[in-house]
Amino acid sequence: MLRTKLFKAFAALVILFGAVSAIFSIKMVRSRVVEEAQNQVRLNLNGAWAVYHSQQQKISTVLQLLASKNDLLEAARTRAWDNPELLSRLEALRIKFDLDYLSITDADGRVTQRAAPPYRAGDYRRANPAIARACQGETVSGASILTEDELRQEADGLAERACLQLEPAPQSRPLSRTVENRGLVLQSAVPIMHASRVIGVIYGGILLNRNEALVDQIREVVYKNETYQNRPLGSATVFLDDIRICTTLRLPNGNRALGTRAEREVAARVLDNGQPWIGRACVINDCFLTAYDPIQDERGRTIGMLYVGMLEKPFRDLQRGIIWRYALLFMVFISIALVTAFTTANRLARPIHRLVNAAKSVMGGTYPAPVAGGQACRETGALVHAFNQMTAALRERESKLQDANESLQAINRNYMEMLGFVAHELKSPVGTILNYVYLLNEGKLGGLTEKQSRAVKNIDGNIKLVLEMIRHYLNLSRIENNELQPNCERVDAGEDVLKPLLEAYDPEIKAHQITLDNRVPPHTMVLSDLNMTREVFENLISNAIKYGRAGGALVIDARPKPDAMMEFCVRNDGEGIPADKLGLLFRKFSRLETSRGIRHQKGTGLGLFITRNIVEAHGGSITVESVPDQWTAFRFTLPAAPAIAANDKEQTHHA
């Protein structure tokens, strides 16, 4: 019985697709939860960096303000460093802004004053890259490593704070020493300037070893100090190499996990390869979703890591909860689907085979007689009726569309043939007229009165406009007939294209009082059709002159692109184009209005349409940028010509 067969088929499909859907959905839920967790960890890492960089920016800002103080400038200029009042002020500022050390050097990098006990001076610090660059006039901020001796020189207690006892770490990389005496610092170095000359450097920073305030602030900002099942939800750590020097993680005894080390796999990726590491990791007996980013010094060397991590358990619990809810919902929907399948099979059994046969006939291109509804239920009867109406409408519409398509194709062919014929036929007589106008202008056919000369110039301008229209319509005919096929060769864009064009446009450029700035390097070679390339530059330069501001600049530039393309730019000062009008520029017959109304320049509205088609026919692209009332720039790319080997150049020269 068809009803039974349909029901069995529907039931099998429902169960099969339900099972597949369940498996896929469970995997998707797991994947989605993990993906969302990883995205959250990435966002958390960005938040940690924001706190880190804000601390770094704070140090830099404080030192820049200090470097501009008059008393400090005067002391640096006169080298009067034995001023107790200045030292007292510097020490007060160091304490106020929570700097662990604050020092001043002369222009040679010799320390002249330190604002922290024991106030040592006289040593040279130019070996420090940041201070060396500051001596050259740069302001430098970033992370750096200070040795134990350097820490002792800067301030009392720093070396003791930096010293960490390293914990045994079987999962970490081998390490011969058991104590870490170096310090990771955030520091800035700012030049002290007088009369554009460096007369000293002020530098200072904070020690990150045991800097609980920094990691606690990161945890507070990123995780809002949230907890899950009485445990902190998130954690943050700063590493010196693979050693935790400040962290919110705690050992089982409650102490911070200072001196513990990162896993071997993490250290290899982040420290050795300079790449971030995001993934699941077991850290101090807890499973976390973690993210590590390299910390680099002023020379770009990876010297440590910034870490954030979230407890994995909340995400696992969320994942299990979603899967259980989905499983319950899935069982409900399966039951509903089976009931619906039985009902649908029962109501569709009788007329369904007639609809199938009729649909096959329509698919094969023949229209059958109307399908009989028989004893079908109301819905199936409506379906049969709709199918019959559809086939009738399709038959009628197909006939009309075929007639309309043939008519439109004939009209378009006639239009394009007429356009090409008229434009081609006009080219010769208009060229003859232009030659005679040239002879009249040059006085070759006798002298002209002033009134006659003005009339001839007017004729000359209009004939050139007609020639431009003819050229554009011929190109339009080629585009519409798919005949725009470039004949590519090596073309010197500067010598073969721009030089003759700019010579031809020189009178117009001078008449508009436009400053020409041709920045195209010599021997800028492209692989293109010479005539088409001239057409592109002619259209863009002509527009730049027409719509350029009197007294403004016209800049032409070129630069190579990494994808073996050469990018050109034609930029002019002028009224510009509103942002909402930029998309209309490359349309056929498109002409825009400006704030002063319709542009007074005449034209076909085809120049940029043709330009875009020529550029794209060469495999390039063209874009436009504009700032209203300031400038407009057109950028387009053409294939760069490959370099010619020396022997090929010699053969070409002999040929």
Side-chain angles (χ1 to χ4, degrees):
M1 186 176 181
L2 180 58
R3 183 187 65 183
T4 304
K5 292 180 180 179
L6 284 174
F7 174 70
K8 288 181 178 180
F10 285 149
L13 287 173
V14 167
I15 294 172
L16 175 62
F17 283 107
V20 172
S21 174
I23 294 171
F24 175 77
S25 298
I26 290 172
K27 288 185 176 179
M28 185 178 68
V29 166
R30 288 177 175 172
S31 169
R32 187 64 177 169
V33 169
V34 171
E35 182 182 348
E36 288 298 325
Q38 290 178 340
N39 289 337
Q40 184 62 48
V41 170
R42 289 188 182 93
L43 292 175
N44 294 342
L45 185 60
N46 292 337
W49 275 118
V51 175
Y52 179 93
H53 289 308
S54 69
Q55 185 67 51
Q56 180 177 311
Q57 183 61 41
K58 169 189 169 184
I59 297 170
S60 177
T61 302
V62 168
L63 294 187
Q64 289 181 58
L65 290 174
L66 292 177
S68 63
K69 293 291 185 180
N70 291 332
D71 51 354
L72 184 62
L73 289 171
E74 182 62 23
R77 188 180 65 81
T78 60
R79 302 191 178 188
W81 298 113
D82 54 351
N83 185 340
E85 183 179 350
L86 175 61
L87 176 60
S88 177
R89 284 191 59 196
L90 288 175
E91 185 168 15
L93 289 170
R94 177 186 67 80
I95 296 171
K96 177 181 178 181
F97 292 109
D98 297 322
L99 299 181
D100 288 323
Y101 61 94
L102 178 64
S103 305
I104 300 174
T105 76
D106 60 18
D108 296 324
R110 185 177 65 86
V111 177
T112 57
Q113 196 169 57
R114 283 190 169 95
Y119 311 108
R120 294 187 179 93
D123 56 307
Y124 281 86
R125 298 286 286 124
R126 192 150 184 165
N128 185 285
I131 298 173
R133 288 167 58 185
C135 289
Q136 301 298 319
E138 293 184 57
T139 295
V140 184
S141 295
S144 185
I145 295 177
L146 298 186
T147 64
E148 181 181 5
D149 290 339
E150 289 173 330
L151 291 170
R152 293 188 186 282
Q153 285 286 106
E154 295 298 343
D156 282 344
L158 292 186
E160 289 73 14
R161 259 181 60 191
C163 183
L164 295 172
Q165 189 73 32
L166 302 185
E167 299 291 333
Q171 302 299 323
S172 302
R173 298 191 294 189
L175 191 64
S176 58
R177 65 183 188 277
T178 58
V179 175
E180 177 58 76
N181 292 317
R182 299 173 301 162
L184 180 63
V185 297
L186 265 181
Q187 69 174 10
S188 290
V190 179
I192 303 172
M193 307 293 293
H194 177 71
S196 301
R197 183 172 61 87
V198 178
I199 59 175
V201 171
I202 182 169
Y203 71 92
I206 60 172
L207 177 64
L208 299 183
N209 297 43
R210 302 181 191 273
N211 194 322
E212 298 177 1
L214 177 63
V215 289
D216 288 346
Q217 183 184 6
I218 291 175
R219 186 172 65 178
E220 180 180 357
V221 170
V222 175
Y223 301 106
K224 312 298 182 186
N225 285 330
E226 294 181 9
T227 60
Y228 186 77
Q229 296 179 352
N230 297 322
R231 287 188 295 172
L233 177 64
S235 57
T237 300
V238 176
F239 288 83
L240 171 56
D241 289 337
D242 64 345
I243 302 167
R244 291 182 178 88
I245 60 171
C246 62
T247 182
T248 61
L249 293 168
R250 294 187 180 272
L251 297 169
N253 61 11
N255 295 331
R256 297 194 185 233
L258 300 175
T260 58
R261 299 171 57 212
E263 293 182 348
R264 185 182 296 107
E265 179 184 2
V266 173
R269 182 177 181 85
V270 181
L271 296 175
D272 297 341
N273 298 322
Q275 298 178 356
W277 194 94
I278 296 177
R280 179 179 181 272
C282 289
V283 182
I284 317 298
N285 300 323
D286 262 327
C287 290
F288 286 84
L289 297 174
T290 64
Y292 296 78
D293 248 0
I295 296 176
Q296 296 180 330
D297 64 8
E298 300 91 343
R299 290 178 285 190
R301 299 181 306 176
T302 300
I303 59 175
M305 299 183 289
L306 179 63
Y307 152 93
V308 292
M310 299 177 65
L311 283 173
E312 183 186 37
K313 193 173 188 307
F315 295 96
R316 292 296 181 191
D317 292 345
L318 174 64
Q319 187 181 86
R320 282 192 292 269
I322 293 174
I323 290 174
W324 275 111
R325 286 193 293 270
Y326 177 81
L328 179 61
L329 192 62
F330 169 75
M331 296 302 296
V332 172
F333 278 120
I334 283 290
S335 301
I336 295 173
L338 289 174
V339 173
T340 304
F342 178 81
T343 304
T344 304
N346 187 50
R347 301 181 70 175
L348 292 178
R350 287 186 289 273
I352 198 70
H353 68 279
R354 291 195 292 268
L355 285 175
V356 170
N357 292 334
K360 288 181 179 178
S361 298
V362 173
M363 186 173 61
T366 61
Y367 293 94
V371 177
Q375 299 299 318
C377 62
R378 184 175 59 185
E379 289 80 4
T380 306
L383 176 62
V384 170
H385 179 68
F387 180 83
N388 290 333
Q389 287 184 324
M390 179 190 70
T391 54
L394 284 175
R395 184 188 297 111
E396 181 181 358
R397 187 176 300 173
E398 184 175 338
S399 176
K400 290 181 179 179
L401 285 175
Q402 186 174 358
D403 294 342
N405 187 46
E406 291 176 356
S407 175
L408 287 173
Q409 288 180 349
I411 291 172
N412 188 59
R413 282 195 302 271
N414 294 336
Y415 158 70
M416 295 312 304
E417 289 174 0
M418 181 190 69
L419 182 66
F421 174 78
V422 171
H424 186 272
E425 291 300 314
L426 284 175
K427 191 174 181 181
S428 179
V430 170
T432 302
I433 295 172
L434 189 62
N435 288 335
Y436 277 109
V437 170
Y438 173 78
L439 294 175
L440 288 171
N441 266 328
E442 296 296 320
K444 305 291 186 180
L445 302 179
L448 301 175
T449 65
E450 183 178 351
K451 187 174 182 180
Q452 290 170 337
S453 178
R454 287 197 303 270
V456 168
K457 288 182 179 178
N458 190 27
I459 294 170
D460 183 47
N462 282 279
I463 288 298
K464 288 180 178 177
L465 179 60
V466 171
L467 275 177
E468 180 183 357
M469 294 171 65
I470 290 171
R471 188 178 77 251
H472 285 174
Y473 283 126
L474 282 173
N475 281 325
L476 176 61
S477 177
R478 294 168 65 192
I479 292 170
E480 296 287 354
N481 290 317
N482 295 319
E483 296 175 356
L484 193 68
Q485 300 295 330
N487 182 21
C488 294
E489 58 181 335
R490 291 178 62 85
V491 173
D492 188 332
E495 190 68 23
D496 300 337
V497 179
L498 282 173
K499 182 178 179 181
L501 276 179
L502 294 178
E503 289 177 354
Y505 279 114
D506 185 61
E508 289 187 50
I509 292 173
K510 291 179 178 177
H512 285 76
Q513 299 177 345
I514 292 175
T515 302
L516 175 64
D517 185 2
N518 181 9
R519 302 176 183 174
V520 177
H523 307 300
T524 300
M525 307 301 294
V526 293
L527 198 62
S528 65
D529 186 297
L530 176 59
N531 291 329
M532 291 186 184
T533 305
R534 286 176 178 165
E535 179 85 5
V536 170
F537 276 100
E538 184 173 355
N539 288 338
L540 296 179
I541 293 173
S542 174
N543 282 349
I545 296 172
K546 286 179 183 178
Y547 304 122
R549 181 186 298 121
L554 168 58
V555 181
I556 306 172
D557 199 0
R559 63 188 182 94
K561 302 283 286 182
D563 53 355
M565 302 293 282
M566 185 68 66
E567 181 183 83
F568 296 91
C569 178
V570 178
R571 182 185 185 279
N572 72 305
D573 295 335
E575 186 177 349
I577 303 167
D580 59 339
K581 303 294 185 183
L582 293 177
L584 305 176
L585 288 179
F586 298 104
R587 293 185 181 179
K588 195 190 314 182
F589 304 117
S590 174
R591 294 181 56 76
L592 302 182
E593 293 186 5
T594 69
S595 59
R596 296 191 295 268
I598 307 265
R599 294 186 183 274
H600 65 277
Q601 289 84 352
K602 299 178 180 179
T604 61
L606 291 170
L608 292 177
F609 171 77
I610 293 168
T611 297
R612 186 194 68 184
N613 278 273
I614 291 175
V615 169
E616 291 179 352
H618 285 81
S621 61
I622 183 168
T623 59
V624 59
E625 300 173 1
S626 183
V627 176
D629 298 322
Q630 295 188 34
W631 54 266
T632 301
F634 287 85
R635 300 180 187 276
F636 65 94
T637 57
L638 293 173
I644 300 179
N647 55 350
D648 293 336
K649 290 182 180 179
E650 185 176 351
Q651 291 175 7
T652 303
H653 176 73
H654 290 323

Short mmCIF file of all heavy atoms in Angstrom, two decimals, residues 509 512-517 544 548-555 571-574 630:
data_model
loop_
_atom_site.label_atom_id
_atom_site.label_comp_id
_atom_site.label_asym_id
_atom_site.label_seq_id
_atom_site.Cartn_x
_atom_site.Cartn_y
_atom_site.Cartn_z
N ILE A 509 46.55 72.94 -18.99
CA ILE A 509 47.05 72.97 -17.61
C ILE A 509 47.46 74.39 -17.23
O ILE A 509 47.13 74.88 -16.14
CB ILE A 509 48.22 71.99 -17.45
CG1 ILE A 509 47.72 70.54 -17.59
CG2 ILE A 509 48.91 72.16 -16.11
CD1 ILE A 509 48.82 69.50 -17.61
N HIS A 512 44.42 76.73 -16.82
CA HIS A 512 43.71 76.54 -15.56
C HIS A 512 44.60 76.86 -14.35
O HIS A 512 44.16 76.70 -13.21
CB HIS A 512 43.20 75.10 -15.43
CG HIS A 512 42.01 74.80 -16.28
ND1 HIS A 512 42.10 74.60 -17.65
CD2 HIS A 512 40.69 74.67 -15.95
CE1 HIS A 512 40.90 74.35 -18.12
NE2 HIS A 512 40.02 74.39 -17.13
N GLN A 513 45.86 77.28 -14.62
CA GLN A 513 46.81 77.61 -13.53
C GLN A 513 46.97 76.44 -12.57
O GLN A 513 47.02 76.60 -11.34
CB GLN A 513 46.35 78.85 -12.78
CG GLN A 513 46.25 80.09 -13.65
CD GLN A 513 45.73 81.29 -12.88
OE1 GLN A 513 45.19 81.15 -11.79
NE2 GLN A 513 45.87 82.48 -13.45
N ILE A 514 47.05 75.22 -13.13
CA ILE A 514 47.20 74.01 -12.33
C ILE A 514 48.68 73.65 -12.24
O ILE A 514 49.41 73.70 -13.25
CB ILE A 514 46.40 72.85 -12.95
CG1 ILE A 514 44.90 73.14 -12.83
CG2 ILE A 514 46.73 71.52 -12.28
CD1 ILE A 514 44.02 72.13 -13.52
N THR A 515 49.11 73.27 -11.04
CA THR A 515 50.49 72.83 -10.83
C THR A 515 50.58 71.33 -11.10
O THR A 515 49.93 70.54 -10.43
CB THR A 515 50.95 73.12 -9.39
OG1 THR A 515 50.84 74.51 -9.15
CG2 THR A 515 52.40 72.68 -9.19
N LEU A 516 51.41 70.94 -12.08
CA LEU A 516 51.55 69.54 -12.44
C LEU A 516 52.70 68.92 -11.64
O LEU A 516 53.80 69.45 -11.59
CB LEU A 516 51.83 69.40 -13.94
CG LEU A 516 52.13 67.98 -14.44
CD1 LEU A 516 50.91 67.09 -14.23
CD2 LEU A 516 52.54 68.00 -15.91
N ASP A 517 52.44 67.77 -11.01
CA ASP A 517 53.45 67.04 -10.24
C ASP A 517 53.46 65.60 -10.74
O ASP A 517 52.68 64.77 -10.29
CB ASP A 517 53.15 67.11 -8.74
CG ASP A 517 54.25 66.45 -7.90
OD1 ASP A 517 55.26 66.00 -8.49
OD2 ASP A 517 54.10 66.39 -6.67
N ALA A 544 40.62 65.38 -14.59
CA ALA A 544 41.31 66.09 -13.52
C ALA A 544 41.50 67.56 -13.85
O ALA A 544 41.41 68.43 -12.98
CB ALA A 544 42.66 65.42 -13.25
N GLY A 548 39.31 70.29 -11.95
CA GLY A 548 40.29 70.72 -10.97
C GLY A 548 40.10 72.18 -10.59
O GLY A 548 39.55 72.99 -11.35
N ARG A 549 40.58 72.52 -9.42
CA ARG A 549 40.48 73.89 -8.93
C ARG A 549 41.59 74.74 -9.54
O ARG A 549 42.74 74.32 -9.64
CB ARG A 549 40.60 73.89 -7.41
CG ARG A 549 40.49 75.28 -6.77
CD ARG A 549 40.75 75.23 -5.29
NE ARG A 549 39.78 74.39 -4.60
CZ ARG A 549 40.10 73.35 -3.89
NH1 ARG A 549 41.38 72.99 -3.78
NH2 ARG A 549 39.18 72.63 -3.28
N ALA A 550 41.24 75.95 -9.98
CA ALA A 550 42.25 76.87 -10.51
C ALA A 550 43.28 77.16 -9.42
O ALA A 550 42.94 77.50 -8.30
CB ALA A 550 41.59 78.15 -10.99
N GLY A 551 44.55 76.99 -9.80
CA GLY A 551 45.61 77.18 -8.83
C GLY A 551 45.92 75.96 -8.00
O GLY A 551 46.82 75.98 -7.18
N GLY A 552 45.16 74.85 -8.21
CA GLY A 552 45.38 73.62 -7.47
C GLY A 552 46.47 72.77 -8.08
O GLY A 552 47.19 73.19 -8.99
N ALA A 553 46.59 71.54 -7.59
CA ALA A 553 47.65 70.64 -8.03
C ALA A 553 47.04 69.43 -8.74
O ALA A 553 45.94 68.99 -8.43
CB ALA A 553 48.49 70.16 -6.85
N LEU A 554 47.79 68.92 -9.72
CA LEU A 554 47.47 67.66 -10.40
C LEU A 554 48.67 66.73 -10.19
O LEU A 554 49.77 67.02 -10.66
CB LEU A 554 47.22 67.90 -11.89
CG LEU A 554 47.15 66.66 -12.79
CD1 LEU A 554 46.07 65.71 -12.31
CD2 LEU A 554 46.92 67.04 -14.24
N VAL A 555 48.46 65.65 -9.44
CA VAL A 555 49.55 64.74 -9.08
C VAL A 555 49.32 63.40 -9.77
O VAL A 555 48.24 62.82 -9.69
CB VAL A 555 49.62 64.53 -7.55
CG1 VAL A 555 50.77 63.60 -7.20
CG2 VAL A 555 49.79 65.87 -6.85
N ARG A 571 45.49 62.35 -9.15
CA ARG A 571 44.85 63.08 -8.05
C ARG A 571 44.82 64.56 -8.38
O ARG A 571 45.81 65.12 -8.86
CB ARG A 571 45.63 62.84 -6.76
CG ARG A 571 45.06 63.49 -5.51
CD ARG A 571 46.00 63.26 -4.33
NE ARG A 571 45.49 63.73 -3.08
CZ ARG A 571 45.52 65.00 -2.66
NH1 ARG A 571 46.08 65.92 -3.44
NH2 ARG A 571 45.03 65.34 -1.48
N ASN A 572 43.68 65.22 -8.13
CA ASN A 572 43.58 66.64 -8.39
C ASN A 572 42.89 67.34 -7.23
O ASN A 572 42.07 66.75 -6.52
CB ASN A 572 42.80 66.92 -9.69
CG ASN A 572 41.31 66.63 -9.53
OD1 ASN A 572 40.95 65.54 -9.15
ND2 ASN A 572 40.47 67.60 -9.81
N ASP A 573 43.25 68.61 -7.01
CA ASP A 573 42.55 69.44 -6.04
C ASP A 573 41.30 70.01 -6.70
O ASP A 573 41.35 70.48 -7.84
CB ASP A 573 43.45 70.60 -5.57
CG ASP A 573 44.67 70.08 -4.81
OD1 ASP A 573 44.58 68.98 -4.26
OD2 ASP A 573 45.69 70.80 -4.77
N GLY A 574 40.19 69.94 -5.99
CA GLY A 574 38.97 70.44 -6.59
C GLY A 574 37.80 70.32 -5.66
O GLY A 574 37.94 70.13 -4.45
N GLN A 630 37.92 69.27 -1.34
CA GLN A 630 39.38 69.19 -1.19
C GLN A 630 40.04 68.51 -2.38
O GLN A 630 40.76 69.16 -3.13
CB GLN A 630 39.74 68.45 0.11
CG GLN A 630 39.32 69.19 1.37
CD GLN A 630 39.86 68.54 2.63
OE1 GLN A 630 40.95 67.98 2.64
NE2 GLN A 630 39.09 68.60 3.71
#
